[in-house]
Structures are given as C-alpha cells and as structure tokens.
Amino acid sequence: MDAQPPGARPQWTLAINTAKRLRAQLGIQEEKADAAAALIPLSQAAICNEYRAGAPTKMQAVLTALIEDRRVATFLADPVEPKATKMRIVSCASPGASLIFTEHPADRDTIVSDSDMYHAVCHRLGICVQQVREALAHGCPLCQHFFDASGEQQPAPAADHLHSCRQLRGSLVTARHDEFVRDLDVKVLRVAGCRTVREPRVSIDDPDTHSRHLAHDHRPDIVASTTTAVYDVDVSVVHSTSPSYLETSKTPAGLIEKREADKKRVYKEQEEKTGNRVVPFVVDSFGRWGKEALSFLHTVAAEYFGTKEEQAAFYRRSFRALAISLQRGNANILRGGGAQVIRESDRLRRRPDRPAHPSHAAPSPRPPLPPPVPPPPSLSLSLFVLGRELRKQQRSSKEGSRGANSHTKGAGD
C-alpha cells in the first residue's frame, strides 16, 4: 500500500492516505497490516469525504466484503440466534454452495427440475412444507422419536430431522450417497481417464498366514487407478445441523476435518497392507467441501490434463457436477421423506389404535384357528341315506345293462 503503482491516479493517493490513517487509529502494526483490512471505513461521512473524487479499482468489492464479514461475525457472536441457523449460514457461504442456483442450465448436469429447485431452496433455508412441519410438531411418526412432554426439549426443525431420521437413513439418505458416488465415478474420474471399480471386494495380504483374505469390514466406495497411484476413495456426506452435531462445539469445517481423520484412522491398517492412498471425500450437505476432496480433484486434473487452462476447466466442470448432484440428493430427501411422513401421519390419524411403524411394534401372536364345526345330525343322516340310495340305483342300472347285452347276443346266435 505504501508504494504507488506506475501512473497512479489521485484516487490511489486518497486510498493510501486513508489506509495509513485507519491503521494508526485502529492500532494495527504496519508490517502485519492487511491491505484490505486497512480500508475499513469508520463512518459513512468519512468514506464519502475521502473518496469523493473516486475510488481505486475493486474498492467497492473489498469494502462490501469487509462489511459482510463484520455482519457475519456479529451474527455468529449473538447468543440469541440458534446454533443450527449459524451452522447452516456458515456452510451455505462456502464456495460452490450456490452453484445450483447460479449455474446456467446448459447441459444435463446443470438442468434441474422445478421440484428439485424448490426443495433445494427449502434445504438451504432450513424449512419444508407446512404439512410436514405439522406432522413433525410433536415427534416423528416414522422413527417414533417423540419429544419431552414437559416442553423443555424443543423438536428439531423438520428439514433437519429428515436427514437424521432412522427410517430414512437406509433409503433416501443412502440413495443420496450412492448417487453422489456414481456421479463422482462416471462424470469425473472416468471422464478424466481413471480406471475405477465401484465398491470393490478388497483383498489384503496377511503376513501371519502368508495368504490373502477379503477385507469385509472397511470397503471404499471407489478404487481409482491413475497413471501414478491407486486411490481408495470413501465418500461421506455430513449434515452439520443434525442434533448430534449441534451438541458439540465444532464448526462445519471442524466436523468435516473430524470425519476425514476418522476415515484415515479406519483405513490406516488397510492402507499399509495394500499400498493404496486413502482419500476421505467428505462434503457437507449445505455445500461445504473438505480439503481432501478438493485436493483429490486437483490431483486428478494435474495428472490427466497438460495445460493449466485444461486443468482449471476440468476442475470447474467436476466441481459443478458434484455440487449440483449433492443438492439434488438433498431435494430428494426432503421430497420423499416429507411424503412418507405425511402418509404415515394420515394413517395414524385414521387408525390411532395401530402402532406408528411395524418395525417398532411388538409382533402380535396370531390367534389359533377355531375348531371345525361338525354338521348337524339330521343333515349327516340325510346325506348318508341319499348316498346309499344313489349307490343302489347305480348297481341296479349296471345289472340291467348287463342283462340286456346277454339277451341281444342270444337272439343274434
């Protein structure tokens, strides 16, 4: 900031002088001062007077970003605001979290249906339709997670509960994970030129028995072979506003780092035996990405594309496809989970005596079959008599037919 660029205009002189004065007023050391932080205006009148003749290039963007940072810091420090709202805003402010709303729908990867867009907006805002909110007001009819009747424990927001409901983890939440893995494999790794195997049967060497056995406990989602190494990619999607995460003091970035460390610890022994590099590909449901995931995309781009322009284009295309795929999965959870909650709530309203979900109800023993009712005596006797008379008539008719046949033969001879 002290040295003016060649051909400096009067606006630069004003900006430099104001920055020096602000440094002195804020007590910032000259050698540690940031050029952007030095441009923080102390008042509207001061900034108007100093920059009346104009401002340097990008001046407005720098000042706007600093003002937004101040407002976000004030909001995060407010003890009245819910922690879930703070976590969601921090995650949604991450780079690439808004690609589903800002990307031009030019191809199949970027075209989003109206329903997906609607529910993606609801997920970003932490809301859902009114019927789902009413159905989850006092508890979930799917997983039987009811809240304290005293009212001290408030129910979690409906949109957050659908991501952590036990009955949806094995269906819609798993479907989001599987779809994300498929897009990572098909739209990113195979496009680059990697040889991939999805959910492989990993075999590892056992030095004690000098044999190989299958590693059933820890199986990566994708084994990607590049020109220089083999990577075990394990995808994980965390929902930072889940009740279990809100009880901790970690930020969304801290949750992602913890999940990455857990993945590395789990695969440490397998990595030592197979020699493959473990990549914990962790993302937050609101759009924040882990450092390992971004580093892996950069590595793949650097190995298969020569120029920096090609690498940057591949990285942007891959990041865009995966970010939109993630939000499609979130929309599917809100849409499908909300429909199941409404359907189960309506069924309970019609039949309140039945359990909410068969998996959480004790199996009722099947009642024994009643003994057969014997027919009345008069009916059995009449049937017996009728059968005897029918047999007599059959015998008499047979005998008559035999006699007629013998008489016909004698007359013919």
Side-chain angles (χ1 to χ4, degrees):
M1 292 293 294
D2 294 336
Q4 299 183 11
R9 295 175 296 179
Q11 298 95 305
W12 275 104
T13 305
L14 292 174
I16 293 171
N17 294 334
T18 304
K20 290 182 178 179
R21 186 162 57 254
L22 289 175
R23 284 196 186 99
Q25 293 177 359
L26 297 176
I28 304 176
Q29 296 182 5
E30 184 72 21
E31 62 273 13
K32 296 183 180 180
D34 186 16
L39 300 177
I40 301 176
L42 297 181
S43 65
Q44 294 182 359
I47 196 66
C48 291
N49 292 331
E50 295 295 338
Y51 298 104
R52 187 181 301 276
T57 308
K58 302 291 185 180
M59 185 67 167
Q60 182 178 358
V62 172
L63 295 178
T64 304
L66 292 172
I67 293 173
E68 291 178 352
D69 292 343
R70 277 189 170 185
R71 289 182 177 179
V72 170
T74 303
F75 172 78
L76 296 178
D78 189 358
V80 179
E81 295 294 337
K83 186 177 180 180
T85 305
K86 298 177 182 178
M87 299 276 278
R88 186 177 66 254
I89 290 178
V90 170
S91 295
C92 291
S94 304
S98 305
L99 282 177
I100 192 173
F101 311 113
T102 59
E103 195 67 24
H104 180 69
D107 52 14
R108 183 177 298 179
D109 295 339
T110 55
I111 294 176
V112 182
S113 65
D114 294 342
S115 178
D116 286 347
M117 181 64 71
Y118 172 81
H119 288 92
V121 173
C122 291
H123 173 73
R124 186 178 179 87
L125 299 178
I127 60 177
C128 57
V129 296
Q130 183 176 359
Q131 292 179 333
V132 179
R133 258 194 337 266
E134 293 175 354
L136 295 174
H138 303 289
C140 178
L142 294 177
C143 65
Q144 293 290 288
H145 181 69
F146 293 97
F147 298 94
D148 192 358
S150 61
E152 296 180 358
Q153 182 181 3
Q154 297 296 328
D160 292 335
H161 178 75
L162 294 178
H163 285 268
S164 57
C165 179
R166 293 193 301 269
Q167 295 299 325
L168 299 180
R169 287 178 187 172
S171 56
L172 297 176
V173 178
T174 304
R176 177 188 61 184
H177 170 273
D178 296 342
E179 189 69 18
F180 189 87
V181 171
R182 187 192 70 84
D183 290 339
L184 174 61
D185 180 18
V186 176
K187 298 181 181 180
V188 178
L189 298 179
R190 295 189 184 181
V191 169
C194 301
R195 292 179 300 169
T196 61
V197 179
R198 215 180 303 171
E199 293 187 356
R201 295 167 59 89
V202 180
S203 299
I204 59 178
D205 294 324
D206 192 351
D208 299 331
T209 60
H210 301 285
S211 62
R212 296 177 66 85
H213 65 277
L214 295 177
H216 294 287
D217 297 336
H218 314 302
R219 185 171 61 174
D221 293 315
I222 301 174
V223 174
S225 301
T226 64
T227 56
T228 59
V230 180
Y231 298 90
D232 291 343
V233 184
D234 197 342
V235 176
S236 181
V237 181
V238 299
H239 187 64
S240 56
T241 56
S242 296
S244 58
Y245 292 146
L246 294 178
E247 295 175 358
T248 64
S249 58
K250 294 185 178 297
T251 60
L255 294 175
I256 293 177
E257 291 175 359
K258 183 179 182 302
R259 182 65 61 88
E260 290 177 345
D262 293 342
K263 293 287 184 183
K264 288 185 176 181
R265 185 178 65 254
V266 167
Y267 286 96
K268 182 178 180 180
E269 180 180 358
Q270 183 172 323
E271 182 180 11
E272 294 175 353
K273 293 181 178 180
T274 60
N276 300 348
R277 300 180 183 179
V278 177
V279 178
F281 205 98
V282 185
V283 295
D284 184 77
S285 64
F286 293 104
R288 191 180 189 91
W289 287 55
K291 296 180 181 179
E292 295 285 343
L294 298 178
S295 176
F296 178 66
L297 293 182
H298 282 295
T299 301
V300 173
E303 286 194 18
Y304 286 95
F305 298 94
T307 63
K308 293 185 178 180
E309 290 77 10
E310 293 178 349
Q311 296 177 11
F314 171 78
Y315 179 82
R316 288 194 301 268
R317 184 170 61 251
S318 304
F319 189 84
R320 177 191 63 187
L322 295 178
I324 295 179
S325 174
L326 176 64
Q327 298 307 321
R328 283 200 187 103
N330 294 329
N332 188 36
I333 291 176
L334 292 186
R335 179 175 54 247
Q340 293 187 29
V341 167
I342 294 175
R343 185 166 57 250
E344 188 71 15
S345 179
D346 293 341
R347 189 184 68 83
L348 288 176
R349 194 178 297 110
R350 293 193 302 266
R351 297 288 301 276
D353 55 328
R354 298 185 63 181
H357 198 275
S359 61
H360 297 278
S364 57
R366 183 174 296 179
L369 296 176
V373 180
S378 58
L379 179 60
S380 61
L381 181 60
S382 60
L383 292 177
F384 175 74
V385 174
L386 179 61
R388 186 177 59 183
E389 293 296 332
L390 288 176
R391 287 193 294 272
K392 284 183 179 181
Q393 291 181 4
Q394 291 175 357
R395 283 197 300 268
S396 61
S397 63
K398 288 181 180 179
E399 291 176 357
S401 62
R402 289 175 184 174
N405 292 335
S406 62
H407 179 70
T408 304
K409 284 184 179 181
D413 293 338

